[in-house]
Amino acid sequence: MKKNALSLILVAVFGFSATATTPIDGEKKEVKTSESKVTWKAYKVTGSHTGTVDLKSGSLLFDGDKLTGGEFVVDMSSLISTDLEGEYKGKLEGHLKSDDFFGVATHPTSKLVFTSVEASGKNSYEVTGDLTIKGITKAVTFDVSIYGSKATATLKVDRANYDVKYGSGSFFDNLGDKTIYDEFDLVVDLEF
């Protein structure tokens, strides 16, 4: 009797844990990283800068045609500026990759893992995910739209949450026109 009870407990524990982590009728669709694009825009008192960063990997999970999850890894060493040229472009890119900003030598990737997906309309979802930058993970919420084999999203990221302090009025006083705003935008266009 004890052996049967132990067997039932083991089946229950391992059976439930296996089904809890496997989506029912789920389909994982790999993102075509070379055809997808992540654009950033950061703001300062005297203007803004734009650029791109490459996806290293990514996938979306679906149950039928309904989005249920996703996970993405960004190659931080691919961070570039698209609004400058020559010497200033190189200086900005080097500074953004330095420890003043994203510390790319120590933190070569950033990651986003969906934790909650709620339908908000036809082809639209409100997504909450864990965003990890510089080894710090914080929740972010944003909207995703899906059209066929394409998805788009726009995120506002507060860099102060990830210990990116340089030029931030949240960490330093009296910066004046040298202030760089904490929030930056990410516009994501995915193909899968």
Side-chain angles (χ1 to χ4, degrees):
M1 184 72 164
K2 286 182 183 177
K3 190 175 182 180
N4 287 343
L6 180 59
S7 295
L8 286 173
I9 289 170
L10 289 174
V11 168
V13 169
F14 289 109
F16 282 108
S17 67
T19 57
T21 58
T22 306
I24 299 170
D25 296 327
E27 181 182 358
K28 183 178 183 179
K29 296 185 180 183
E30 295 296 326
V31 170
K32 297 175 184 173
T33 55
S34 62
E35 297 171 33
S36 299
K37 188 173 185 179
V38 180
T39 305
W40 59 267
K41 186 169 187 175
Y43 306 89
K44 56 186 182 174
V45 171
T46 58
S48 63
H49 288 292
T50 58
T52 61
V53 63
D54 294 338
L55 282 174
K56 185 173 185 174
S57 64
S59 61
L60 293 169
L61 298 177
F62 289 87
D63 183 359
D65 62 354
K66 183 181 177 193
L67 180 66
T68 59
E71 184 171 321
F72 302 89
V73 176
V74 172
D75 176 6
M76 295 301 290
S77 68
S78 69
L79 181 75
I80 63 165
S81 166
T82 55
D83 67 313
L84 297 174
E85 294 180 5
E87 178 185 351
Y88 293 109
K89 175 182 172 68
K91 283 183 177 181
L92 177 61
E93 290 172 2
H95 199 196
L96 290 173
K97 292 175 186 177
S98 78
D99 288 340
D100 280 347
F101 284 93
F102 296 104
V104 172
T106 308
H107 306 283
T109 60
S110 292
K111 186 174 186 176
L112 174 65
V113 179
F114 293 7
T115 56
S116 168
V117 179
E118 297 290 331
S120 58
K122 186 176 181 184
N123 304 320
S124 299
Y125 301 87
E126 182 179 85
V127 173
T128 299
D130 287 336
L131 178 62
T132 303
I133 299 173
K134 292 181 73 174
I136 299 168
T137 303
K138 299 286 183 180
V140 293
T141 300
F142 53 96
D143 294 324
V144 174
S145 297
I146 307 269
Y147 299 98
S149 61
K150 297 184 180 200
T152 61
T154 302
L155 293 77
K156 282 209 172 290
V157 179
D158 185 344
R159 68 187 177 104
N161 289 333
Y162 302 94
D163 200 33
V164 181
K165 297 179 180 180
Y166 186 87
S168 169
S170 296
F171 297 100
F172 304 102
D173 294 326
N174 303 317
L175 291 171
D177 66 359
K178 302 288 186 203
T179 300
I180 302 168
Y181 297 118
D182 288 341
E183 284 192 334
F184 64 91
D185 296 327
L186 292 176
V187 178
V188 183
D189 294 300
L190 303 174
E191 291 199 28
F192 52 92

